[in-house]
Amino acid sequence: MTSSDRGPHVNGETSSVDGDIHVRQDGPRDAPALLLIHGSASSTRSWDPLVPLLTGSHHVIRIDLLGHGRSAKPADGSYAIPDQARRAGAALDRLGVERAIVVGHSSGGVVATALAEQRPERVTALALINTGPSLDAFIAPQSAAIDPAQWPPTDEQIREFASTGFSRAGYRIPQELLDEVRVMTFHSLTATMQAARGYLAERALPDRLAGLGKPLLVIFGEDDRRWRSSSAAGYRVVPGAKVELLPGLGHSPLLEDPPRTAAPLLAFTAIHAAPSAAGPR
């Protein structure tokens, strides 16, 4: 069945939830829904290379978490993981999406896990891309953090800060992703990173996921320089979990090699996707 056979095709439509959270939709609305959640210091733009590979068979929904991209960046807002997950659930409610496969990259996988804990009726299955399972899998950075006195940072400062996010030889971070870091406030950057660490410190993700009964796919760039890729094996405590290692890729395989990232994801969603009940919004 082609996209044109499956109802209205949404081509890059954007909206907001409660005026605070930016939401982007692509693909046919009545196709099975995929909710994509980006990691820290990123935005919906990080999924740009992957989305065209997904929209042939899915209603793809992306959100900018609070503090990122085109979403609000309040100094007094909560950046805690449960609150970020609550906003993601509210986005699905607003769109009328009853069930979705939720895909998270890096700390976006932490938010995805929290969403599955809070709203299990909304989450059909989970796919985590280079999401560290616990703090002991973290690889401490060698480069110095950005000084708040130097905010907003230069392109070269951001490239240095983000360098461990990529491992593919010759890969250069796109300018639009540098710009997305620069539009953040120093507070939203640090608060969101601290929130993810705090959530992992409370309880490891595999322990949280093991009792939820949700199908799980874990994709990991084997050459990740932020989280030990061998730690992906820890997710096997989740009944039926599938773990895919991608040799030659690092922390951001969705950017470094979108087709190789899409292949296991699409195979997984073909088995577990549920029809969307989204109506026009």
Side-chain angles (χ1 to χ4, degrees):
M1 181 179 289
T2 65
S3 296
S4 60
D5 294 327
R6 307 168 74 171
H9 190 91
V10 182
N11 184 18
E13 178 181 313
T14 65
S15 58
S16 65
V17 176
D18 298 328
D20 291 330
I21 302 302
H22 175 245
V23 180
R24 182 180 174 96
Q25 299 180 79
D26 296 273
R29 285 199 179 187
D30 57 355
L34 283 182
L35 174 64
L36 308 182
I37 305 177
H38 64 79
S40 300
S42 191
S43 75
T44 57
R45 299 293 299 274
S46 66
W47 299 101
D48 283 354
L50 191 64
V51 165
L53 304 176
L54 306 176
T55 51
S57 53
H58 293 88
H59 173 199
V60 179
I61 303 159
R62 292 179 272 172
I63 62 171
D64 282 330
L65 295 173
L66 194 74
H68 298 74
R70 292 172 62 182
S71 289
K73 303 165 182 65
D76 58 351
S78 173
Y79 294 98
I81 294 298
D83 288 325
Q84 297 281 32
R86 177 183 55 77
R87 298 180 190 109
L92 294 180
D93 293 342
R94 173 66 181 83
L95 297 174
V97 175
E98 293 185 355
R99 303 182 72 192
I101 292 179
V102 183
V103 185
H105 172 235
S106 190
S107 60
V110 182
V111 177
T113 299
L115 176 58
E117 291 179 309
Q118 293 175 6
R119 305 287 302 275
E121 78 285 357
R122 282 284 187 266
V123 179
T124 303
L126 288 158
L128 309 183
I129 302 175
N130 284 77
T131 297
S134 59
L135 288 180
D136 59 7
F138 184 63
I139 302 171
Q142 300 298 312
S143 58
I146 297 175
D147 190 319
Q150 297 177 307
W151 199 268
T154 65
D155 282 2
E156 287 312 307
Q157 285 174 318
I158 299 173
R159 289 187 188 280
E160 176 65 19
F161 171 73
S163 61
T164 56
F166 307 90
S167 299
R168 195 193 80 192
Y171 182 83
R172 186 166 177 81
I173 305 171
Q175 182 64 44
E176 57 266 26
L177 296 186
L178 302 181
D179 295 340
E180 295 289 65
V181 176
R182 192 174 293 105
V183 300
M184 297 183 72
T185 66
F186 186 78
H187 172 69
S188 66
L189 173 68
T190 56
T192 52
M193 295 176 71
Q194 290 167 0
R197 287 195 294 268
Y199 197 76
L200 288 172
E202 290 176 4
R203 191 180 181 196
L205 296 191
D207 293 340
R208 293 179 181 272
L209 293 165
L212 293 181
K214 300 296 180 183
L216 174 65
L217 170 66
V218 175
I219 299 173
F220 236 93
E222 197 167 32
D223 297 337
D224 194 327
R225 295 191 286 155
R226 291 188 176 173
W227 299 91
R228 288 184 295 102
S229 60
S230 60
S231 70
Y235 286 104
R236 295 190 186 279
V237 302
V238 180
K242 184 174 180 59
V243 177
E244 293 274 354
L245 296 181
L246 303 179
L249 302 180
H251 183 67
S252 304
L254 64 164
L255 288 162
E256 296 174 83
D257 196 329
R260 285 177 63 195
T261 306
L265 181 58
L266 288 171
F268 178 75
T269 62
I271 297 171
H272 299 292
S276 174
R281 290 293 186 274

